[in-house]
Amino acid sequence: MRTRTGWGRALLGALASLTAALGVTTALAEPATAATGTPVAVTKYSHTSEAGDYIGQGGSTAYTPATATITAGGDAAYVRFRVLSTDHTWWDVDLAAPEGEKLHPGIYRNAERAAFRTGRSPGLDVSGDGRGCNQVYGQFSVNQIETDASGAITVLDATYTQHCESADAPALKGVVKYRAYPLSYAYTSDAGDWVGQGRSQTFTGATSTFSLSRSGDGVTYRASGKREYWSATLTPPTGEQFEVGRTYQAQRFNGAGMAGLDVDANSHGCNTVTGEFTITKLARDDDGTIKAIAAKFVQHCEGGDAALRGTIHYYA
C-alpha cells in the first residue's frame, strides 16, 4: 500500500448559470424524458409525517412539476418554497437564516418558527392545507443554494425536520429541490480494503465540498468533509473519450483498451488497481471540457478481494 500527502482544498465549482425571473421564481416543467446520460435539473417536493404530526396528518406525499406548480421565492436570507398541486392541495416551506445572515450550504439546528425567530436562531415553518404550527422546533440542511444578480433564488436543495408545538412532538420530514443538480459522493468499503478502511459514508453539500478538474482525457473528482478527504481519478482508454452507459475495465493508469481508475482517501492509496467504473451521466462545455459527471466504480487494491465501491455525482 502507498501513503499519500493531502491536497489543497478546492473551491466548489459551478455547473452553469441557471435562468430565473425576478421576484418569485417559477418552476419550469421538466422534460418528460431526457437524452440518455444528460444531466437534468430536479424540481420536486416530498415529505413523510409521523403518526400524530398535525401538519402532515401522519401521511406522506410527493410532487413534481408534472403534478404541481412548484415555486421558490425570496432570497438567501428568507426563502419560501411553495407547492400548489393540480387538486389544489398546497404546501409552504419557509427557510430563514439567522437574523442579519444569508443561507449557505450547511446544517441549521435549533430552528424556530421562521417569521418569529429570536436571537440568532434559524427559521423553519412548514404549513399546508390550512394547518400550521404556533411554535416550531426543528432543523434543516441546505445542500445547495444559488441566487441571480438580483438576489432571487435560482437553485435550492434542502431537507428539514419539523416538530409542532414541542420539541418531542411527532416529526414531519421533507425534501425540497428547486432546479438542483445532484452533487454528492458515497462509498462502501469491505473489511480489509486499504483505502476505505471498512467504512461507509455519504457526503452532501450540507457537510462537504466538491471539485472537478481535468486529468488527461478524464477527470479528477475531489470530496472533502466529515474529517475525510477523497480523490477519484477516472480516465478513458488511451485515445478514447468517455461514453455514457459504458462500463470500463480499469487499472491504476490507463492504456490501450484499458481505462484508468485511482481512488484514494486520507493518505491511503493503491500501488496497483484492478476494477471497473461506469459513466452514467456526462455533460461537456463547448470546448469539450467535462463540466458534469455521474459515475459508479469498484476498486481493488494490490489484486486483493476486498473492494471499495463508490458513486460520484458532480452536477449530474
Side-chain angles (χ1 to χ4, degrees), residues 200-252:
S200 298
Q201 190 61 269
T202 298
F203 304 87
T204 64
T207 60
S208 309
T209 59
F210 310 88
S211 69
L212 190 73
S213 59
R214 187 170 183 171
S215 179
D217 290 325
V219 296
T220 295
Y221 172 87
R222 292 187 173 94
S224 170
K226 299 183 176 180
R227 301 178 185 269
E228 297 186 27
Y229 303 88
W230 284 84
S231 173
T233 298
L234 286 68
T235 51
T238 301
E240 299 185 27
Q241 298 290 320
F242 282 139
E243 299 175 24
V244 175
R246 179 176 170 183
T247 297
Y248 295 87
Q249 298 304 305
Q251 57 192 19
R252 185 180 170 199

Side-chain angles (χ1 to χ4, degrees), residues 121-275:
S121 296
L124 171 66
D125 192 359
V126 186
S127 58
D129 277 354
R131 297 184 298 275
C133 306
N134 293 303
Q135 295 285 337
V136 166
Y137 299 80
Q139 71 174 48
F140 60 93
S141 297
V142 176
N143 295 313
Q144 297 176 62
I145 185 168
E146 296 179 20
T147 59
D148 63 14
S150 74
I153 297 295
T154 58
V155 174
L156 181 65
D157 181 353
T159 61
Y160 69 80
T161 299
Q162 174 179 277
H163 304 270
C164 252
E165 316 309 345
S166 70
D168 58 358
L172 177 69
K173 298 181 179 182
V175 176
V176 172
K177 292 184 184 290
Y178 181 75
R179 295 177 176 172
Y181 288 85
L183 183 64
S184 65
Y185 174 64
Y187 73 88
T188 301
S189 169
D190 290 345
D193 168 54
W194 169 247
V195 176
Q197 297 285 292
R199 297 187 297 264
S200 298
Q201 190 61 269
T202 298
F203 304 87
T204 64
T207 60
S208 309
T209 59
F210 310 88
S211 69
L212 190 73
S213 59
R214 187 170 183 171
S215 179
D217 290 325
V219 296
T220 295
Y221 172 87
R222 292 187 173 94
S224 170
K226 299 183 176 180
R227 301 178 185 269
E228 297 186 27
Y229 303 88
W230 284 84
S231 173
T233 298
L234 286 68
T235 51
T238 301
E240 299 185 27
Q241 298 290 320
F242 282 139
E243 299 175 24
V244 175
R246 179 176 170 183
T247 297
Y248 295 87
Q249 298 304 305
Q251 57 192 19
R252 185 180 170 199
F253 300 111
N254 68 335
M258 182 66 70
L261 173 65
D262 190 6
V263 183
D264 63 25
N266 309 313
S267 300
H268 287 189
C270 309
N271 291 304
T272 62
V273 167
T274 54

